[in-house]
Amino acid sequence: MTIVPEGLIPDLLTREASFEAVEKVFAAMAAGEAYNFPVVREAIGHEDALYGFKGGFDRTGQVLGLKAGGYWPHNLEKQGVINHQSTVFLFDPDSGRVKAMVGGNYLTALRTAAASSVSIRHLARKDAKVLGMIGAGHQATFQLRAALETHAFEKVIGWNLHPEMLPNLAKVAEEAGLAFEAVELTGMTEADVIITITSSFAPSLLAEHVSPGTHVACMGTDTKGKQEVEAALLARATVFCDEVAQSVSIGEAQHAVAEGLLAEADVVQLGAVINKSHAGRTSDAEITLFDGTGVGLQDLAVSAAIVEVAKNNGSAITVPL
Ligand code: NAD
């Protein structure tokens, strides 16, 4: 069994490799070659923790496994470790024997950022210049770095409910040599691409804040009740997602579907665009919206890539079973 500890992963995993792994597994999902198992998420009645499992099987990549973990809200103050904690386990699909254990914290941020980047590559207008960010927390900096590496943006604008966090975004933009401007939500009409990555339970971005032709990647809503954008925006947009079942139940689309503004059948898997079985964006005026809820197969695909690199460069720890 191969062990790749959390501390090694930032040196092993590149944004490029995460992008490739996520793009490939989205394509496999849309082709019916990979599927996610139902998500388990439980309040365990201890330390106010939410704990659960996301798993799946990718026949194309021969990757089987699960990510176990969740959210411990008091970790930072009590234990000095981050509140989100997870670990990935990979199994041999031929025998069921455990193959690898991989730290899941850093890779979760990279695989989430990779998903919005894959959506930008396949759905944003090629002439997109201004990137709008809504959210400025931990995930937002990963999202921003990945988006700037994926597309040649010329300017970054940002809004956050807590404006004192905006320097997190400014720093990343400046590192990439781009100007950063803090704006009101009404200023988001300047953006050609908008990424939302907050933990909000009420919409911040309204339909009137989004110009025709914009691509919106909604990345923060991953639980029932969370909401970042007005349901009316989904009614105006062509809606894509990582997985339809998650999008309409725990993603941004849950609200538009519940309000009768969007039908489940109208939500398209991004993998279908990657596979070219769906045209994707069809005009410069169309608003495209990606509902990225985060699927277990993303974690497994990126973990399998990490294990390969760690084995090849000798940094993996191997233990007998
Ligand atoms: P964080 O705590 O570091 O940052 C939270 C962000 O949300 C901050 O910008 C904060 O100002 C903003 N915010 C908080 N309350 C708000 C409100 N009521 N209205 C508007 N904004 C508000 O969290 P993070 O680690 O950056 O995670 C952000 C979100 O992304 C969380 O909801 C998390 O569950 C989700 N997430 C999604 C995926 C996925 O695959 N889709 C993966 C990881 C995390």
Side-chain angles (χ1 to χ4, degrees):
M1 173 186 184
T2 303
I3 299 176
V4 189
E6 183 68 42
L8 291 185
I9 291 173
D11 290 333
L12 295 175
L13 183 63
T14 61
R15 270 183 287 283
E16 216 174 13
S18 313
F19 184 103
E20 256 177 48
V22 168
E23 187 181 49
K24 250 191 211 157
V25 84
F26 279 175
M29 282 164 56
E33 288 296 320
Y35 73 107
N36 293 287
F37 307 153
V39 175
V40 173
R41 199 162 162 87
E42 293 285 323
I44 59 172
H46 178 74
E47 291 292 342
D48 300 323
L50 281 175
Y51 173 72
F53 312 103
K54 279 185 168 182
F57 178 46
D58 175 6
R59 204 179 303 279
T60 318
Q62 287 292 294
V63 180
L64 172 71
L66 62 88
K67 179 167 84 168
Y71 187 68
W72 276 256
H74 313 301
N75 267 5
L76 205 54
E77 65 194 73
K78 282 191 174 174
Q79 318 241 14
V81 295
I82 62 169
N83 295 350
H84 283 102
Q85 289 293 331
S86 60
T87 307
V88 175
F89 295 89
L90 298 177
F91 298 86
D92 176 358
D94 295 332
S95 67
R97 278 162 64 91
V98 65
K99 269 173 64 173
M101 183 178 110
V102 181
N105 298 345
Y106 183 82
L107 80 79
T108 298
L110 275 203
R111 67 75 148 145
T112 305
S116 65
S117 285
V118 171
S119 84
I120 291 169
R121 169 79 47 86
H122 289 278
L123 294 172
R125 291 185 345 261
K126 299 294 170 236
D127 65 351
K129 291 186 176 56
V130 179
L131 172 62
M133 293 293 304
I134 295 190
H138 178 70
Q139 297 286 336
T141 56
F142 287 88
Q143 291 284 330
L144 178 52
R145 268 191 208 99
L148 296 181
E149 280 186 14
T150 300
H151 182 91
F153 291 102
E154 294 176 3
K155 180 181 172 186
V156 180
I157 60 176
W159 176 89
N160 195 46
L161 183 68
H162 307 104
E164 68 279 9
M165 296 169 79
L166 286 171
N168 294 339
L169 300 179
K171 185 167 176 277
V172 176
E174 281 154 19
E175 278 166 12
L178 294 183
F180 175 80
E181 188 189 333
V183 295
E184 297 300 325
L185 282 165
T186 47
M188 278 293 153
T189 49
E190 189 191 345
D192 303 304
V193 171
I194 301 173
I195 298 175
T196 65
I197 181 76
T198 70
S199 47
S200 179
F201 279 80
S204 305
L205 188 74
L206 307 183
E208 69 193 46
H209 300 146
V210 179
S211 295
T214 305
H215 173 61
V216 186
C218 300
M219 304 306 298
T221 295
D222 56 0
T223 303
K224 204 168 166 49
K226 278 189 187 169
Q227 187 173 13
E228 298 189 285
V229 311
E230 189 182 27
L233 177 61
L234 281 83
R236 259 181 79 194
T238 311
V239 180
F240 300 84
C241 69
D242 41 21
E243 191 195 75
V244 177
Q246 283 196 192
S247 169
V248 301
S249 58
I250 59 169
E252 207 52 53
Q254 65 181 293
H255 307 286
V257 168
E259 290 175 33
L261 297 174
L262 179 74
E264 181 171 338
D266 292 335
V267 182
V268 181
Q269 275 189 289
L270 180 57
V273 182
I274 300 166
N275 287 339
K276 302 197 186 318
S277 57
H278 186 281
R281 168 179 293 279
T282 53
S283 86
D284 281 352
E286 184 178 7
I287 294 175
T288 52
L289 184 146
F290 173 65
D291 188 6
T293 57
V295 293
L297 281 170
Q298 272 170 266
D299 299 298
L300 305 186
V302 171
S303 297
I306 291 171
V307 170
E308 272 315 296
V309 176
K311 276 183 170 170
N312 289 340
N313 76 6
S315 61
I317 300 163
T318 306
V319 293
L321 282 181

